Amino acid sequence: MVFSRVNGIILAFVSGMALLSCSGEKVAPEQTEESLMDISRNELATAVSERDELLGLVRDIAEQTEKIRQMEDILDMTRDPSAENATRRRRILGDIAKIQQTLQERRRQLALLEEQMKESSLYSDELQGTIDALRHQIDSRNREIEGLRAQLTDANARIGELNSAVDSLTGTVKAAMVEKDAADRTSARLADELNQCYYVAATRQELKTHRIIETSFLRKTRLMKGDFDRRFFTAGDKRSLDSLNLYSRKASLLTNHPASSYRMVEHDGMMTLRIVDPGTFWSLTNYMVIQTD
């Protein structure tokens, strides 16, 4: 387009020279050729310079458009929560600001070039259309980059809200875990208490001494009535106490336990109590008293 304009100027100049020759004025061939070459060089240099400026702007705008497309791709990737990174998003916001600043500078350069073109002999409607198209492209890219910046800012805000929600949820979970641990400890303690049992295997005299049994000639033996010595008993766990070696040749179970729930067995002349059904055995009492003589 620019070169066509130059050719037109050159043709006009040649026509002018021809008219001068017809009117009787002498024009030296050397002078005509030299003037034509000077004009051609000047106009061509101007046209090439203006063309290069215009092409440079087109190239710069294309580069910024590609960067904007890359920003859109990066923003699409960062919409994945697993890829979220505050540092990375700040860097992208910085790059977006740089691209915006560059586009504004290109728009300013285009405005200056437009003023120069309007004062040039090369100015045409086609050239103005090209400038208007470039200006429209710059404005369009500016809107795109502003949209990207807004999306990223909104995403950062949403991430902040999600982080706050996660922090709150984490605190709630921690509090729930503390409560659960406390409940587990309480449950374990209650289970231990519920499964706690007490047993003693001793001679008749020892049992009387510790007021575990009371006997007389005319009265039936009384078992653990009144203030008996609880410290004489051994604490055990119903869940794990399944047998008790009595280290005695004789043994009798004084407390009330269902007969089907236990066995008295002899091994090497010594008696052993075996609990075969703990739930039934301890169903009536948590105490077990065995007399060993």
Side-chain angles (χ1 to χ4, degrees):
M1 177 183 66
V2 174
F3 286 110
S4 298
R5 187 66 175 170
V6 171
N7 290 335
I9 293 172
I10 293 173
L11 289 173
F13 179 80
V14 171
S15 300
M17 293 297 102
L19 289 173
L20 287 175
S21 298
C22 294
S23 64
E25 293 185 12
K26 298 289 185 178
V27 179
E30 296 82 1
Q31 183 180 358
T32 302
E33 183 178 354
E34 182 179 353
S35 299
L36 182 59
M37 290 296 292
D38 288 343
I39 291 174
S40 298
R41 289 193 193 97
N42 292 336
E43 293 290 348
L44 184 60
T46 300
V48 169
S49 175
E50 292 172 344
R51 180 205 64 185
D52 289 344
E53 282 192 62
L54 205 56
L55 290 178
L57 276 175
V58 171
R59 184 171 53 253
D60 288 343
I61 293 169
E63 289 176 357
Q64 299 309 316
T65 301
E66 176 61 20
K67 288 183 180 180
I68 291 171
R69 188 191 64 78
Q70 293 172 358
M71 286 292 172
E72 290 173 338
D73 293 340
I74 292 173
L75 193 60
D76 285 338
M77 286 188 297
T78 57
R79 288 190 180 118
D80 179 5
S82 62
E84 297 295 354
N85 184 288
T87 302
R88 185 182 186 191
R89 285 183 171 276
R90 283 195 297 270
R91 187 177 67 249
I92 294 173
L93 278 173
D95 292 342
I96 286 175
K98 290 178 182 177
I99 293 176
Q100 269 190 311
Q101 184 177 0
T102 302
L103 287 173
Q104 290 172 359
E105 177 62 21
R106 295 296 177 268
R107 199 180 196 287
R108 186 187 66 80
Q109 291 174 355
L110 186 63
L112 291 176
L113 183 62
E114 182 181 21
E115 292 299 322
Q116 294 173 6
M117 291 292 186
K118 286 181 177 179
E119 296 175 359
S120 170
S121 61
L122 298 178
Y123 181 76
S124 67
D125 291 340
E126 291 83 0
L127 183 60
Q128 182 62 51
T130 301
I131 293 173
D132 291 340
L134 285 176
R135 182 182 292 109
H136 176 74
Q137 189 176 8
I138 291 174
D139 292 342
S140 177
R141 298 292 84 81
N142 261 325
R143 287 192 295 272
E144 289 179 15
I145 201 70
E146 180 60 30
L148 287 174
R149 189 183 67 79
Q151 290 179 38
L152 195 58
T153 301
D154 290 343
N156 281 337
R158 289 197 301 272
I159 290 170
E161 294 173 358
L162 288 174
N163 285 337
S164 298
V166 168
D167 291 341
S168 176
L169 184 59
T170 299
T172 302
V173 170
K174 287 181 178 178
M177 289 299 294
V178 170
E179 292 180 3
K180 181 181 179 299
D181 290 342
D184 288 345
R185 288 193 298 270
T186 301
S187 177
R189 178 176 56 80
L190 290 174
D192 290 342
E193 291 177 359
L194 289 172
N195 285 284
Q196 196 167 44
C197 60
Y198 306 90
Y199 61 90
V200 63
T203 64
R204 181 182 182 86
Q205 185 57 48
E206 288 173 325
L207 295 175
K208 288 179 64 175
T209 300
H210 292 280
R211 295 190 294 276
I212 294 171
I213 61 173
E214 296 178 0
T215 62
S216 65
F217 181 70
L218 297 176
R219 189 170 59 185
K220 183 179 178 180
T221 299
R222 301 177 64 191
L223 182 63
M224 294 186 300
K225 299 297 184 180
D227 189 18
F228 64 92
D229 187 1
R230 286 175 172 79
R231 292 174 300 175
F232 193 52
F233 285 82
T234 299
D237 192 318
K238 299 175 185 178
R239 296 165 294 188
S240 59
L241 183 62
D242 55 7
S243 66
L244 184 63
N245 294 323
L246 303 175
Y247 305 105
S248 173
R249 295 181 182 278
K250 292 179 59 178
S252 57
L253 187 59
L254 302 183
T255 43
N256 188 18
H257 302 277
S260 62
S261 65
Y262 70 95
R263 299 284 185 271
M264 281 288 188
V265 297
E266 181 182 352
H267 182 68
D268 292 338
M270 296 294 176
M271 302 301 295
T272 298
L273 171 71
R274 297 196 185 281
I275 301 174
V276 295
D277 184 354
T280 303
F281 185 85
W282 298 105
S283 62
L284 301 178
T285 178
N286 291 330
Y287 285 85
M288 176 173 63
V289 178
I290 299 174
Q291 184 177 321
T292 58
D293 59 0

